Amino acid sequence: MKEEKLMVDGKRIDGRLPEQLRDIKMKLNVVTRANGSAEVKFGKTTAIASVHGPRALFPRYLQESGTGILRIRYNMAPFSVNDRKSPGPDRRSTEISKVIRLALGPTIFLEDFPKITIDGFAEIIEADGSTRVTAINALSLALAAAGIPMEDLVASCSVGKIDGTLVVDLNGKEDNNSEADMAFAMLPNKGVISLLQMDGALTKKEVLKLLQSAKESCMKIYEMQIKVLKDFYKGE
Amino acid sequence: MEELYALELIHKGKRIDGRKFDEFRAIEISTNIISTAEGSAKVKFGETEVIAGVKIGTGKPFPDTPDRGILIVNTEFTPMASPEFEAGPPSENAVELSRIVDRGIRESDAIELDKLCLVEGENVFSTFVDIHIINHHGNLQDAASLASIAALRNARLPKLENDKIVRGEYDKPLPVAFTPINITVSKVGDNFILDPNYDEEKILDSKLSISVRDDDKICALQKQGVNEIKFEDIERMLDTAIEKSKELRKLV
């Protein structure tokens, strides 16, 4: 299967060191018609997220009397990958939408919004690995930009094992040829995990080590999220 | 109301059906129960009942894996199994369940998909694992995973004549190299429990689905449930799953 080596002289195919994140860009309020929005890029991987709400929820039977609900849609644009992805939801995006909802849910004071919905949409415009974690970072910023009361931000990154080396922030090629990859999200202030998915084959020790590097990377991403939020509101 | 009682008991160190925290309900596995399927298994965890059937056909491989067979896992939450299941396209939970089963089998390299290639880029065996939920009394994930691997372990490749399948005649067993076992470790308050029943499932804080291979390697993880997991809990959850997986693997 593998045509080329993913690690050469301790460096990755894009020149990064194992623990190095790609160039990360974050921008707020890119969708003016939404209550809050953000664009996040991890290298070429680009996610645009928007948040609508709190808003009325219809049909009425979906309403919950004691709490508000969070709805999330993760979607890949057909042109975001080399072989066109046929549009519309599939099994993968259904599952990812669910785990993203569970990753963000704990931060939002949903009980303050009975019968109400908060809707988050994440569109992957270009995909080069680690799309779900990029979407989570964008949605977290979009929620904050929409002024939704939150306990914490959510920072997210991928980690994995390529050519026997543990690395952070896998790009598309690394993702496709990895021995294992893990999607991870945490609430940085609370210090708890809200997304954890892994597939591959790892020893227990490797799993614990990857969790540690994921935590460290998420703290870096969190700093960037804070900075972009502060800069944006300073400018207003 | 049962779930509140279950919660109260767990805080006292007990469970609603008298089990220990790390004890499964009585497990029954029967294999080769469906003659029309290439492989099949029924798994019961107490009242929970799941049937997995394996159908094997031939078809074009996926373009990115021209020299490998195909594995597809699908789950039906039949409306008979629980008052909360409705007929219709697979729900979000059914899709997630299938995908966790799929990853446990695929990522552990349990099925030797490279041996299922007939003509590279043209014709390969495709293996469909269909999971039918018959009775939902909790812990569908572990029951479905166990039923799937048990069904695959007794599946046979159909006989071919001029690349066409001869139904009802078999060539050799499906090449299965490992027996990955899925163990979901749940947390209630400060307690970790295994195999929650239907009432206990309503009071879980969080859970982590862990797929363990024969060599103790972790092949798939999925955090589930609405609440977060603490870093310090993970190691204990992994240890519990690795330990318990050995017990369940013996039953397959």
Side-chain angles (χ1 to χ4, degrees):
Chain A
M1 289 284 296
K2 224 175 282 180
E3 328 82 43
E4 55 181 299
K5 283 196 82 66
L6 295 169
M7 289 293 298
V8 179
D9 299 332
K11 285 207 171 159
R12 296 156 69 175
I13 40 173
D14 52 11
R16 281 184 293 156
L17 296 168
E19 296 274 319
Q20 195 179 347
L21 293 162
R22 283 176 282 185
D23 186 24
I24 296 176
K25 291 199 177 81
M26 299 179 180
K27 214 158 105 189
L28 284 191
N29 283 6
V30 293
V31 181
T32 58
R33 297 296 303 266
N35 293 90
S37 61
E39 180 184 276
V40 173
K41 282 177 181 247
F42 274 46
K44 281 195 226 158
T45 296
T46 307
I48 296 177
S50 71
V51 167
H52 297 255
R55 65 182 179 185
L57 174 57
F58 294 106
R60 204 175 283 253
Y61 68 82
L62 292 173
Q63 296 179 358
E64 300 248 359
S65 57
T67 181
I69 65 166
L70 174 68
R71 296 190 296 186
I72 296 290
R73 180 179 116 121
Y74 160 99
N75 186 49
M76 284 179 100
F79 48 77
S80 65
V81 278
N82 284 334
D83 296 318
R84 176 176 183 266
K85 185 208 164 284
S86 62
D90 53 18
R91 282 161 43 119
R92 176 177 173 276
S93 68
T94 303
E95 186 204 354
I96 293 179
S97 299
K98 178 182 176 179
V99 296
I100 292 180
R101 187 182 78 226
L102 294 174
L104 295 167
T107 61
I108 304 172
F109 293 103
L110 284 169
E111 60 280 8
D112 292 351
F113 301 100
K115 299 185 179 180
I116 295 286
T117 182
I118 295 167
D119 292 334
F121 304 110
E123 294 289 329
I124 305 299
I125 301 304
E126 188 170 344
D128 185 22
S130 308
T131 58
R132 76 191 69 181
V133 298
T134 309
I136 290 174
N137 288 319
L139 279 163
S140 169
L141 282 174
L143 284 164
I148 307 289
M150 291 160 81
E151 191 182 357
D152 204 340
L153 283 172
V154 179
S156 186
C157 73
S158 67
V159 288
K161 186 178 175 188
I162 54 169
D163 279 353
T165 309
L166 302 184
V167 298
V168 305
D169 185 21
L170 282 72
N171 65 33
K173 206 165 214 169
E174 291 173 336
D175 201 357
N176 288 338
N177 299 295
S178 67
E179 287 156 61
D181 66 280
M182 185 190 281
F184 177 92
M186 66 181 286
L187 280 54
N189 287 300
K190 229 178 153 190
V192 291
I193 301 164
S194 68
L195 169 79
L196 179 57
Q197 292 183 288
M198 189 279 281
D199 49 62
L202 294 173
T203 62
K204 183 186 110 184
K205 234 177 161 172
E206 288 170 329
V207 171
L208 296 174
K209 221 169 152 197
L210 279 180
L211 281 176
Q212 194 54 39
S213 14
K215 188 178 176 179
E216 282 160 22
S217 296
C218 278
M219 293 314 287
K220 290 181 201 161
I221 291 161
Y222 174 63
E223 295 300 323
M224 295 179 215
Q225 288 174 318
I226 290 292
K227 187 174 181 300
V228 72
L229 283 166
K230 276 190 177 163
D231 287 351
F232 185 79
Y233 288 106
K234 228 188 293 173
E236 256 191 3
Chain B
M1 294 316 280
E2 287 284 291
E3 66 266 23
L4 296 178
Y5 182 51
L7 181 63
E8 200 185 309
L9 281 177
I10 286 175
H11 287 313
K12 288 184 194 154
K14 290 181 198 160
R15 290 177 78 170
I16 195 159
D17 48 11
R19 279 182 289 154
K20 295 196 206 86
F21 283 172
D22 65 346
E23 190 179 344
F24 269 64
R25 289 165 286 180
I27 300 177
E28 273 177 50
I29 304 182
S30 23
T31 52
N32 222 344
I33 51 164
I34 298 160
S35 66
T36 46
E38 272 71 49
S40 57
K42 178 160 86 179
V43 165
K44 284 174 127 180
F45 289 177
E47 288 174 51
T48 289
E49 183 177 332
V50 173
I51 293 175
V54 175
K55 287 300 295 173
I56 298 176
T58 55
K60 243 186 159 23
F62 292 122
D64 55 339
T65 51
D67 55 350
R68 291 166 74 84
I70 289 173
L71 168 70
I72 289 173
V73 181
N74 185 52
T75 308
E76 269 193 59
F77 283 12
T78 61
M80 71 159 77
S82 170
E84 69 215 39
F85 293 166
E86 281 170 29
S91 65
E92 191 181 68
N93 290 334
V95 169
E96 186 186 29
L97 185 142
S98 305
R99 287 179 57 88
I100 294 174
V101 173
D102 180 299
R103 283 202 285 267
I105 295 166
R106 190 182 302 278
E107 300 296 331
S108 63
D109 292 322
I111 305 179
E112 296 172 90
L113 291 175
D114 50 330
K115 292 190 182 160
L116 300 185
C117 178
L118 298 166
V119 184
E120 184 171 334
E122 288 298 326
N123 203 18
V124 298
F125 279 118
S126 41
T127 308
F128 293 85
V129 180
D130 283 290
I131 299 163
H132 238 61
I133 311 291
I134 304 298
N135 196 16
H136 172 23
H137 204 278
N139 201 15
L140 294 179
Q141 186 73 60
D142 294 357
S145 298
L146 194 61
S148 301
I149 192 65
L152 286 166
R153 284 232 82 124
N154 74 60
R156 296 159 296 176
L157 289 175
K159 201 172 140 187
L160 292 176
E161 259 175 30
N162 307 325
D163 284 348
K164 285 252 166 32
I165 287 180
V166 186
R167 285 286 167 207
E169 290 185 50
Y170 302 98
D171 186 16
K172 55 185 174 194
L174 178 75
V176 179
F178 294 106
T179 308
I181 299 289
N182 200 84
I183 304 284
T184 305
V185 185
S186 305
K187 203 178 176 201
V188 187
D190 293 325
N191 301 297
F192 296 88
I193 64 166
L194 295 181
D195 188 31
N197 71 19
Y198 186 81
D199 298 310
E200 288 174 326
E201 272 191 347
K202 294 186 198 158
I203 49 152
L204 302 179
D205 288 318
S206 56
K207 49 184 176 176
L208 184 62
S209 242
I210 304 166
S211 180
V212 188
R213 198 163 72 178
D214 312 45
D215 56 2
D216 288 351
K217 287 233 172 127
I218 315 288
C219 296
L221 290 175
Q222 179 109 331
K223 178 209 157 284
Q224 298 176 285
V226 289
N227 290 340
E228 315 93 321
I229 301 185
K230 292 184 185 144
F231 278 92
E232 57 265 34
D233 288 342
I234 304 261
E235 186 167 7
R236 178 149 171 212
M237 289 169 139
L238 294 177
D239 283 335
T240 308
I242 291 171
E243 216 37 59
K244 202 68 186 182
S245 68
K246 299 185 200 305
E247 207 178 291
L248 267 67
R249 191 171 295 113
K250 281 189 203 141
L251 304 172
V252 179

